[in-house]
Amino acid sequence: MSAVRDDVRAPAETGVGDDAGTPAGLVDLRVRCMVCDATYPGDRPLTRCEACGGLLDVDLALDGPVRPEAFGVGLPPVLRSSGVWRYWSLLPALPEAAIVSRAEGNTPLYWDDRLAAYAGLGTGQLGFKHEGHNPTASFKDRGMTVGVSHARAVGARIVACASTGNTSASLASYAAAAGMPALVLIPEGKISGGKLSQTIAYGARVVQVAGDFDQALALLRQLTDAYDVYLVNSVNPFRLEGQKTIIFELLEELGWRVPDVIALPGGNLGNTAAFGKALGELMRVGLIDRLPKLAVIQAAGAAPFAAYHASGYRAFAAVVAETVATAIKIGNPASTPRARRSVELTQGVVTTVSDDEILDAKAAIDRAGIGCEPASAASLAGLRRLVADGAIAPDATAVGILTGHVLKDADAVVSYHLEDRDDAPRPSANRPVRVAAELPALERVLADALHG
Ligand code: F0G
């Protein structure tokens, strides 16, 4: 017998808000199936098309041109100070009272010529948008403010996700802000301590699943299909709306001048999906007149999308994922069809990098004083690979997306710099030195630090 009370079971044909009628303010909101074009009202927590099972997009009206000066104007301060909600005219209009925001977004864009040289690009040609500077230290907060706000707007009672750690940290924080319970499934022993700590600290109910991320997500979908539990993984079209603002904010900072390439790590492929939608919409409203190439970088041990792309999209096969970059250790990316659409739209490229390439690129980003978690460094490692292969010209301008903060995975730093490797010592390991508590010993260290 089920231990769950009947009132938590999902109503068969209705949305969460239907008991009380359509939630106020959601009447104009629609989602559309990317496969069969069926549309549904946006007042329910749908994550797949009821007719064909396809992925859904939020269908925005976007009538007429948008003036860039208008962003943020006329919005209440709490929305204006958010790097997500200030792009109100390019987002689903949720009822203001439902919005949970933590002034997310507003992340820095760093230009670094050492890293440009590392990638094989010229001076002033490579920037990094650092999404680790969000409230919970990853890009997930941009999607979460929209996802959790939508959950509130439709009257959801509990929000849930499966996660490699960052989504769970973000969901836990935003659910706490909203005063809602959160349920989080994580692959046992496979997420970083920092991310697990955040998730626990912010008060989510954490479930360690004996399996990998793909199994945890499949399990959670069984639960959300059967029960009235709001799913915020990136199959949720509202979450992706928030992630579009990485592109909006980046291009606004660039004065709407489009770089040749935007490189990002690909895991579950939610960002790849969101970036393509964002770019298509910016073209539609006349804010940009050309598209950058999206460069999607997967870890070699977790690269089903790269293989699918390389097959000319003929054969998709899920893999059992293995990589040091635990955030992108995903073998069956949920947003694969949407990501394909984004890559096709932008005539993008998809490539893979080894764990060593990721870790060396991460060490270079860290050493530049910027810092990021391993998955994020795939963007630099991938650019370097693509320039070396001739897929990206050395005079191209590029922006890489750093998806998470260096402190998200402190163990990765320690193991890179402090653990000996007999086979091939790390090129830029930075080992702390031990000294006796005597000035001459410290003087020797000073001389060494000054002269090399
Ligand atoms: N980088 C970081 C730091 C991530 O946490 C993730 C995904 C990605 C890149 C990949 O992004 O899925 O949009 O392709 N993390 C998810 C999580 C899966 O559960 O935190 P994607």
Side-chain angles (χ1 to χ4, degrees):
M1 204 186 80
S2 165
V4 182
R5 293 206 329 256
D6 274 351
D7 65 346
V8 195
R9 288 187 186 281
E13 297 288 328
T14 59
V16 167
D18 284 358
D19 286 352
T22 301
L26 291 178
V27 273
D28 294 332
L29 224 51
R30 295 198 75 76
V31 294
R32 180 181 296 276
C33 173
M34 70 168 288
V35 178
C36 75
D37 253 6
T39 66
Y40 302 92
D43 63 352
R44 58 187 69 180
L46 278 184
T47 52
R48 61 164 81 84
C49 174
E50 288 176 342
C52 77
L55 290 164
L56 301 168
D57 295 313
V58 175
D59 207 13
L60 297 179
L62 300 184
D63 305 318
V66 167
R67 286 183 310 112
E69 317 80 70
F71 288 129
V73 175
L75 294 177
V78 66
L79 300 186
R80 204 171 50 234
S81 61
S82 163
V84 171
W85 293 107
R86 65 187 300 271
Y87 300 100
W88 183 261
S89 50
L90 300 174
L91 294 175
L94 296 180
E96 249 173 71
I99 291 176
V100 192
S101 170
R102 289 203 177 283
E104 50 286 314
N106 302 306
T107 57
L109 175 60
Y110 298 126
W111 297 91
D112 191 288
D113 289 338
R114 286 162 295 184
L115 297 180
Y118 185 93
L121 297 171
T123 303
Q125 286 173 220
L126 178 59
F128 284 97
K129 179 86 173 144
H130 205 326
E131 290 296 305
H133 290 253
N134 268 290
T136 74
S138 85
F139 73 92
K140 303 288 181 178
D141 297 336
R142 291 189 186 258
M144 211 50 75
T145 182
V146 182
V148 171
S149 300
H150 182 253
R152 252 182 143 188
V154 302
R157 282 189 294 170
I158 182 164
V159 283
C161 72
S163 180
T164 56
N166 280 327
T167 303
S168 59
S170 181
L171 175 63
S173 168
Y174 279 77
M180 291 172 85
L183 181 70
V184 158
L185 272 59
I186 55 164
E188 188 170 20
K190 295 181 183 125
I191 78 170
S192 79
K195 297 173 190 177
L196 180 59
S197 313
Q198 283 182 291
T199 310
I200 293 170
Y202 298 142
R205 178 65 56 97
V206 177
V207 183
Q208 313 222 42
V209 177
D212 60 16
F213 168 83
D214 301 290
Q215 290 169 309
L217 180 56
L219 177 63
L220 182 61
R221 293 203 80 172
Q222 288 177 33
L223 188 82
T224 56
D225 284 348
Y227 295 98
D228 196 0
V229 174
Y230 186 99
L231 180 66
V232 293
N233 278 95
S234 55
V235 285
N236 178 326
F238 287 90
R239 240 201 60 198
L240 294 192
E241 290 297 300
Q243 288 172 210
K244 292 188 316 191
T245 63
I246 300 173
I247 292 291
F248 298 161
E249 201 178 273
L250 167 65
L251 291 177
E252 188 177 25
E253 280 168 296
L254 296 178
W256 307 102
R257 279 187 303 276
V258 177
D260 298 318
V261 179
I262 295 177
L264 74 162
N268 218 19
L269 300 175
N271 259 349
T272 307
F275 285 17
K277 188 169 193 278
L279 290 164
E281 289 172 356
L282 290 180
M283 291 284 281
R284 251 166 81 191
V285 300
L287 281 171
I288 58 173
D289 56 11
R290 72 178 192 112
L291 292 167
K293 236 181 220 317
L294 288 182
V296 183
I297 321 299
Q298 294 207 290
F305 184 61
Y308 181 46
H309 176 259
S311 78
Y313 299 118
R314 271 187 288 279
F316 176 83
V319 302
V320 176
E322 191 48 62
T323 169
V324 69
T326 52
I328 52 173
K329 192 170 162 183
I330 294 173
N332 190 14
S335 277
T336 297
R338 289 173 174 151
R340 170 181 174 176
R341 182 178 62 185
S342 295
V343 172
E344 287 180 333
L345 172 74
T346 65
Q347 296 177 346
V349 286
V350 186
T351 196
T352 63
V353 285
S354 69
D355 279 3
D356 276 348
E357 288 175 284
I358 289 175
L359 291 175
D360 289 342
K362 174 182 148 52
I365 293 166
D366 293 353
R367 183 71 181 83
I370 294 173
C372 67
E373 68 165 284
S376 312
S379 55
L380 177 60
L383 281 170
R384 179 178 161 103
R385 169 67 74 91
L386 289 165
V387 173
D389 289 351
I392 291 178
D395 64 351
T397 52
V399 173
I401 308 299
L402 300 180
T403 45
H405 198 276
V406 62
L407 290 176
K408 282 285 192 176
D409 194 347
D411 287 347
V413 177
V414 170
S415 100
Y416 184 91
H417 291 281
L418 272 59
E419 283 168 17
D420 286 326
R421 276 200 342 171
D422 294 337
D423 53 336
R426 299 291 186 194
S428 49
N430 178 24
R431 295 178 67 90
V433 289
R434 299 187 69 208
V435 296
E438 293 161 359
L439 186 58
L442 192 55
E443 284 170 343
R444 282 194 294 278
V445 178
L446 175 64
D448 194 43
L450 282 172
H451 305 299

